[in-house]
PDB file of all heavy atoms in Angstrom:
ATOM      1  N   SER A   1       9.431  -6.388 -17.275  1.00  0.00           N
ATOM      2  CA  SER A   1       9.790  -7.477 -18.201  1.00  0.00           C
ATOM      3  C   SER A   1      11.284  -7.409 -18.506  1.00  0.00           C
ATOM      4  O   SER A   1      11.881  -8.415 -18.941  1.00  0.00           O
ATOM      5  CB  SER A   1       8.993  -7.372 -19.469  1.00  0.00           C
ATOM      6  OG  SER A   1       9.405  -6.272 -20.282  1.00  0.00           O
ATOM      7  N   PHE A   2      11.940  -6.284 -18.263  1.00  0.00           N
ATOM      8  CA  PHE A   2      13.367  -6.185 -18.426  1.00  0.00           C
ATOM      9  C   PHE A   2      14.083  -6.406 -17.102  1.00  0.00           C
ATOM     10  O   PHE A   2      15.337  -6.240 -17.074  1.00  0.00           O
ATOM     11  CB  PHE A   2      13.695  -4.791 -19.001  1.00  0.00           C
ATOM     12  CG  PHE A   2      13.375  -4.556 -20.406  1.00  0.00           C
ATOM     13  CD1 PHE A   2      12.192  -3.978 -20.790  1.00  0.00           C
ATOM     14  CD2 PHE A   2      14.305  -4.852 -21.413  1.00  0.00           C
ATOM     15  CE1 PHE A   2      11.818  -3.710 -22.053  1.00  0.00           C
ATOM     16  CE2 PHE A   2      13.919  -4.634 -22.727  1.00  0.00           C
ATOM     17  CZ  PHE A   2      12.725  -4.070 -23.083  1.00  0.00           C
ATOM     18  N   GLY A   3      13.381  -6.683 -16.066  1.00  0.00           N
ATOM     19  CA  GLY A   3      14.022  -6.810 -14.781  1.00  0.00           C
ATOM     20  C   GLY A   3      14.310  -5.502 -14.079  1.00  0.00           C
ATOM     21  O   GLY A   3      15.140  -5.446 -13.167  1.00  0.00           O
ATOM     22  N   VAL A   4      13.658  -4.443 -14.514  1.00  0.00           N
ATOM     23  CA  VAL A   4      13.832  -3.092 -13.898  1.00  0.00           C
ATOM     24  C   VAL A   4      12.678  -2.782 -13.037  1.00  0.00           C
ATOM     25  O   VAL A   4      11.472  -2.822 -13.423  1.00  0.00           O
ATOM     26  CB  VAL A   4      13.960  -2.053 -15.080  1.00  0.00           C
ATOM     27  CG1 VAL A   4      14.012  -0.612 -14.451  1.00  0.00           C
ATOM     28  CG2 VAL A   4      15.228  -2.348 -15.946  1.00  0.00           C
ATOM     29  N   GLU A   5      12.950  -2.409 -11.822  1.00  0.00           N
ATOM     30  CA  GLU A   5      11.939  -2.005 -10.861  1.00  0.00           C
ATOM     31  C   GLU A   5      11.153  -0.795 -11.341  1.00  0.00           C
ATOM     32  O   GLU A   5      11.740   0.142 -11.854  1.00  0.00           O
ATOM     33  CB  GLU A   5      12.427  -1.814  -9.479  1.00  0.00           C
ATOM     34  CG  GLU A   5      11.435  -1.528  -8.436  1.00  0.00           C
ATOM     35  CD  GLU A   5      11.987  -1.309  -7.014  1.00  0.00           C
ATOM     36  OE1 GLU A   5      13.218  -1.443  -6.842  1.00  0.00           O
ATOM     37  OE2 GLU A   5      11.172  -0.989  -6.098  1.00  0.00           O
ATOM     38  N   ALA A   6       9.833  -0.852 -11.135  1.00  0.00           N
ATOM     39  CA  ALA A   6       9.081   0.338 -11.603  1.00  0.00           C
ATOM     40  C   ALA A   6       7.845   0.413 -10.660  1.00  0.00           C
ATOM     41  O   ALA A   6       7.393  -0.564  -9.975  1.00  0.00           O
ATOM     42  CB  ALA A   6       8.546   0.154 -13.015  1.00  0.00           C
ATOM     43  N   SER A   7       7.290   1.649 -10.610  1.00  0.00           N
ATOM     44  CA  SER A   7       6.094   1.957  -9.844  1.00  0.00           C
ATOM     45  C   SER A   7       5.343   3.133 -10.514  1.00  0.00           C
ATOM     46  O   SER A   7       5.870   3.739 -11.373  1.00  0.00           O
ATOM     47  CB  SER A   7       6.557   2.403  -8.424  1.00  0.00           C
ATOM     48  OG  SER A   7       5.535   2.695  -7.573  1.00  0.00           O
ATOM     49  N   GLU A   8       4.057   3.241 -10.118  1.00  0.00           N
ATOM     50  CA  GLU A   8       3.261   4.314 -10.739  1.00  0.00           C
ATOM     51  C   GLU A   8       2.496   5.098  -9.619  1.00  0.00           C
ATOM     52  O   GLU A   8       2.095   4.642  -8.580  1.00  0.00           O
ATOM     53  CB  GLU A   8       2.245   3.596 -11.611  1.00  0.00           C
ATOM     54  CG  GLU A   8       1.272   4.594 -12.263  1.00  0.00           C
ATOM     55  CD  GLU A   8       0.289   3.890 -13.289  1.00  0.00           C
ATOM     56  OE1 GLU A   8       0.771   3.088 -14.085  1.00  0.00           O
ATOM     57  OE2 GLU A   8      -0.876   4.090 -13.111  1.00  0.00           O
ATOM     58  N   VAL A   9       2.457   6.412  -9.872  1.00  0.00           N
ATOM     59  CA  VAL A   9       1.721   7.316  -9.008  1.00  0.00           C
ATOM     60  C   VAL A   9       0.805   8.165  -9.805  1.00  0.00           C
ATOM     61  O   VAL A   9       1.023   8.390 -10.971  1.00  0.00           O
ATOM     62  CB  VAL A   9       2.700   8.164  -8.155  1.00  0.00           C
ATOM     63  CG1 VAL A   9       3.526   7.376  -7.224  1.00  0.00           C
ATOM     64  CG2 VAL A   9       3.572   9.056  -8.998  1.00  0.00           C
ATOM     65  N   ASP A  10      -0.245   8.659  -9.152  1.00  0.00           N
ATOM     66  CA  ASP A  10      -1.173   9.627  -9.797  1.00  0.00           C
ATOM     67  C   ASP A  10      -0.710  11.038  -9.462  1.00  0.00           C
ATOM     68  O   ASP A  10      -0.914  11.436  -8.291  1.00  0.00           O
ATOM     69  CB  ASP A  10      -2.567   9.344  -9.416  1.00  0.00           C
ATOM     70  CG  ASP A  10      -3.153   8.103  -9.966  1.00  0.00           C
ATOM     71  OD1 ASP A  10      -2.848   7.793 -11.194  1.00  0.00           O
ATOM     72  OD2 ASP A  10      -3.899   7.405  -9.302  1.00  0.00           O
ATOM     73  N   GLY A  11      -0.221  11.768 -10.415  1.00  0.00           N
ATOM     74  CA  GLY A  11       0.140  13.150 -10.253  1.00  0.00           C
ATOM     75  C   GLY A  11       1.415  13.329  -9.410  1.00  0.00           C
ATOM     76  O   GLY A  11       2.099  12.408  -9.080  1.00  0.00           O
ATOM     77  N   PHE A  12       1.754  14.579  -9.081  1.00  0.00           N
ATOM     78  CA  PHE A  12       2.904  14.979  -8.450  1.00  0.00           C
ATOM     79  C   PHE A  12       2.712  15.319  -6.967  1.00  0.00           C
ATOM     80  O   PHE A  12       3.312  16.118  -6.375  1.00  0.00           O
ATOM     81  CB  PHE A  12       3.609  16.141  -9.137  1.00  0.00           C
ATOM     82  CG  PHE A  12       4.035  15.889 -10.506  1.00  0.00           C
ATOM     83  CD1 PHE A  12       3.297  16.294 -11.607  1.00  0.00           C
ATOM     84  CD2 PHE A  12       5.211  15.157 -10.771  1.00  0.00           C
ATOM     85  CE1 PHE A  12       3.680  15.974 -12.893  1.00  0.00           C
ATOM     86  CE2 PHE A  12       5.597  14.866 -12.040  1.00  0.00           C
ATOM     87  CZ  PHE A  12       4.837  15.252 -13.165  1.00  0.00           C
ATOM     88  N   GLY A  13       1.705  14.553  -6.324  1.00  0.00           N
ATOM     89  CA  GLY A  13       1.430  14.808  -4.902  1.00  0.00           C
ATOM     90  C   GLY A  13       2.522  14.260  -4.066  1.00  0.00           C
ATOM     91  O   GLY A  13       3.644  13.873  -4.459  1.00  0.00           O
ATOM     92  N   GLY A  14       2.196  14.027  -2.690  1.00  0.00           N
ATOM     93  CA  GLY A  14       3.202  13.574  -1.754  1.00  0.00           C
ATOM     94  C   GLY A  14       3.812  12.278  -2.094  1.00  0.00           C
ATOM     95  O   GLY A  14       5.004  11.944  -1.812  1.00  0.00           O
ATOM     96  N   GLY A  15       3.013  11.371  -2.707  1.00  0.00           N
ATOM     97  CA  GLY A  15       3.523  10.099  -3.110  1.00  0.00           C
ATOM     98  C   GLY A  15       4.611  10.058  -4.121  1.00  0.00           C
ATOM     99  O   GLY A  15       5.559   9.271  -4.067  1.00  0.00           O
ATOM    100  N   PHE A  16       4.628  11.106  -5.031  1.00  0.00           N
ATOM    101  CA  PHE A  16       5.626  11.217  -6.027  1.00  0.00           C
ATOM    102  C   PHE A  16       6.982  11.561  -5.419  1.00  0.00           C
ATOM    103  O   PHE A  16       8.036  10.821  -5.669  1.00  0.00           O
ATOM    104  CB  PHE A  16       5.255  12.343  -7.040  1.00  0.00           C
ATOM    105  CG  PHE A  16       6.384  12.753  -7.911  1.00  0.00           C
ATOM    106  CD1 PHE A  16       6.884  11.883  -8.929  1.00  0.00           C
ATOM    107  CD2 PHE A  16       7.092  13.939  -7.718  1.00  0.00           C
ATOM    108  CE1 PHE A  16       7.961  12.288  -9.766  1.00  0.00           C
ATOM    109  CE2 PHE A  16       8.134  14.315  -8.497  1.00  0.00           C
ATOM    110  CZ  PHE A  16       8.565  13.498  -9.504  1.00  0.00           C
ATOM    111  N   ALA A  17       7.060  12.535  -4.547  1.00  0.00           N
ATOM    112  CA  ALA A  17       8.314  12.905  -3.929  1.00  0.00           C
ATOM    113  C   ALA A  17       8.924  11.809  -3.061  1.00  0.00           C
ATOM    114  O   ALA A  17      10.116  11.512  -3.157  1.00  0.00           O
ATOM    115  CB  ALA A  17       8.173  14.187  -3.114  1.00  0.00           C
ATOM    116  N   ALA A  18       8.022  11.113  -2.316  1.00  0.00           N
ATOM    117  CA  ALA A  18       8.588  10.004  -1.512  1.00  0.00           C
ATOM    118  C   ALA A  18       9.168   8.875  -2.346  1.00  0.00           C
ATOM    119  O   ALA A  18      10.198   8.334  -2.101  1.00  0.00           O
ATOM    120  CB  ALA A  18       7.498   9.519  -0.605  1.00  0.00           C
ATOM    121  N   ARG A  19       8.401   8.528  -3.451  1.00  0.00           N
ATOM    122  CA  ARG A  19       8.834   7.390  -4.251  1.00  0.00           C
ATOM    123  C   ARG A  19      10.128   7.790  -5.055  1.00  0.00           C
ATOM    124  O   ARG A  19      10.982   7.005  -5.256  1.00  0.00           O
ATOM    125  CB  ARG A  19       7.727   7.033  -5.196  1.00  0.00           C
ATOM    126  CG  ARG A  19       7.974   5.729  -5.978  1.00  0.00           C
ATOM    127  CD  ARG A  19       8.312   4.556  -5.040  1.00  0.00           C
ATOM    128  NE  ARG A  19       7.182   4.322  -4.112  1.00  0.00           N
ATOM    129  CZ  ARG A  19       6.074   3.650  -4.395  1.00  0.00           C
ATOM    130  NH1 ARG A  19       5.959   3.078  -5.609  1.00  0.00           N
ATOM    131  NH2 ARG A  19       5.138   3.462  -3.451  1.00  0.00           N
ATOM    132  N   LEU A  20      10.284   9.073  -5.517  1.00  0.00           N
ATOM    133  CA  LEU A  20      11.338   9.509  -6.202  1.00  0.00           C
ATOM    134  C   LEU A  20      12.667   9.394  -5.238  1.00  0.00           C
ATOM    135  O   LEU A  20      13.708   8.967  -5.633  1.00  0.00           O
ATOM    136  CB  LEU A  20      11.201  10.908  -6.742  1.00  0.00           C
ATOM    137  CG  LEU A  20      12.430  11.459  -7.534  1.00  0.00           C
ATOM    138  CD1 LEU A  20      12.730  10.638  -8.767  1.00  0.00           C
ATOM    139  CD2 LEU A  20      12.235  12.988  -7.825  1.00  0.00           C
ATOM    140  N   ALA A  21      12.457   9.867  -4.049  1.00  0.00           N
ATOM    141  CA  ALA A  21      13.578   9.807  -3.069  1.00  0.00           C
ATOM    142  C   ALA A  21      13.959   8.339  -2.846  1.00  0.00           C
ATOM    143  O   ALA A  21      15.157   8.069  -2.703  1.00  0.00           O
ATOM    144  CB  ALA A  21      13.144  10.464  -1.743  1.00  0.00           C
ATOM    145  N   GLU A  22      13.017   7.425  -2.783  1.00  0.00           N
ATOM    146  CA  GLU A  22      13.356   6.010  -2.590  1.00  0.00           C
ATOM    147  C   GLU A  22      14.112   5.434  -3.795  1.00  0.00           C
ATOM    148  O   GLU A  22      15.113   4.822  -3.658  1.00  0.00           O
ATOM    149  CB  GLU A  22      12.002   5.289  -2.385  1.00  0.00           C
ATOM    150  CG  GLU A  22      12.203   3.743  -2.337  1.00  0.00           C
ATOM    151  CD  GLU A  22      10.881   3.013  -2.331  1.00  0.00           C
ATOM    152  OE1 GLU A  22       9.786   3.610  -2.022  1.00  0.00           O
ATOM    153  OE2 GLU A  22      10.817   1.830  -2.744  1.00  0.00           O
ATOM    154  N   PHE A  23      13.612   5.776  -4.990  1.00  0.00           N
ATOM    155  CA  PHE A  23      14.291   5.219  -6.216  1.00  0.00           C
ATOM    156  C   PHE A  23      15.653   5.761  -6.395  1.00  0.00           C
ATOM    157  O   PHE A  23      16.510   5.018  -6.860  1.00  0.00           O
ATOM    158  CB  PHE A  23      13.348   5.526  -7.431  1.00  0.00           C
ATOM    159  CG  PHE A  23      12.297   4.485  -7.634  1.00  0.00           C
ATOM    160  CD1 PHE A  23      11.968   3.611  -6.663  1.00  0.00           C
ATOM    161  CD2 PHE A  23      11.654   4.368  -8.900  1.00  0.00           C
ATOM    162  CE1 PHE A  23      11.001   2.684  -6.877  1.00  0.00           C
ATOM    163  CE2 PHE A  23      10.688   3.425  -9.145  1.00  0.00           C
ATOM    164  CZ  PHE A  23      10.286   2.514  -8.155  1.00  0.00           C
ATOM    165  N   THR A  24      15.833   7.065  -6.195  1.00  0.00           N
ATOM    166  CA  THR A  24      17.161   7.596  -6.356  1.00  0.00           C
ATOM    167  C   THR A  24      18.193   7.206  -5.336  1.00  0.00           C
ATOM    168  O   THR A  24      19.380   7.472  -5.530  1.00  0.00           O
ATOM    169  CB  THR A  24      17.056   9.200  -6.447  1.00  0.00           C
ATOM    170  OG1 THR A  24      16.493   9.652  -5.286  1.00  0.00           O
ATOM    171  CG2 THR A  24      16.299   9.672  -7.679  1.00  0.00           C
ATOM    172  N   ALA A  25      17.735   6.680  -4.251  1.00  0.00           N
ATOM    173  CA  ALA A  25      18.634   6.085  -3.287  1.00  0.00           C
ATOM    174  C   ALA A  25      19.047   4.676  -3.528  1.00  0.00           C
ATOM    175  O   ALA A  25      19.984   4.122  -2.819  1.00  0.00           O
ATOM    176  CB  ALA A  25      17.975   6.183  -1.929  1.00  0.00           C
ATOM    177  N   GLN A  26      18.504   4.045  -4.506  1.00  0.00           N
ATOM    178  CA  GLN A  26      18.807   2.661  -4.850  1.00  0.00           C
ATOM    179  C   GLN A  26      19.969   2.549  -5.823  1.00  0.00           C
ATOM    180  O   GLN A  26      20.466   3.513  -6.413  1.00  0.00           O
ATOM    181  CB  GLN A  26      17.550   1.973  -5.465  1.00  0.00           C
ATOM    182  CG  GLN A  26      16.390   1.869  -4.580  1.00  0.00           C
ATOM    183  CD  GLN A  26      15.177   1.198  -5.274  1.00  0.00           C
ATOM    184  OE1 GLN A  26      15.207   0.954  -6.501  1.00  0.00           O
ATOM    185  NE2 GLN A  26      14.068   1.071  -4.555  1.00  0.00           N
ATOM    186  N   ASP A  27      20.441   1.285  -5.968  1.00  0.00           N
ATOM    187  CA  ASP A  27      21.448   1.016  -6.969  1.00  0.00           C
ATOM    188  C   ASP A  27      20.682   0.610  -8.253  1.00  0.00           C
ATOM    189  O   ASP A  27      19.554   0.113  -8.212  1.00  0.00           O
ATOM    190  CB  ASP A  27      22.309  -0.147  -6.545  1.00  0.00           C
ATOM    191  CG  ASP A  27      23.224   0.244  -5.376  1.00  0.00           C
ATOM    192  OD1 ASP A  27      23.574   1.422  -5.251  1.00  0.00           O
ATOM    193  OD2 ASP A  27      23.497  -0.646  -4.512  1.00  0.00           O
ATOM    194  N   GLY A  28      21.354   0.774  -9.401  1.00  0.00           N
ATOM    195  CA  GLY A  28      20.775   0.307 -10.682  1.00  0.00           C
ATOM    196  C   GLY A  28      19.592   1.128 -11.150  1.00  0.00           C
ATOM    197  O   GLY A  28      19.243   2.193 -10.549  1.00  0.00           O
TER     198      GLY A  28
END
């Protein structure tokens, strides 16, 4: 609602690390 990209994962499994790497490589 603020125009900020967001995503959700269950726990700190493989999906978490991959999504974190994707988000920290973005602008903004």
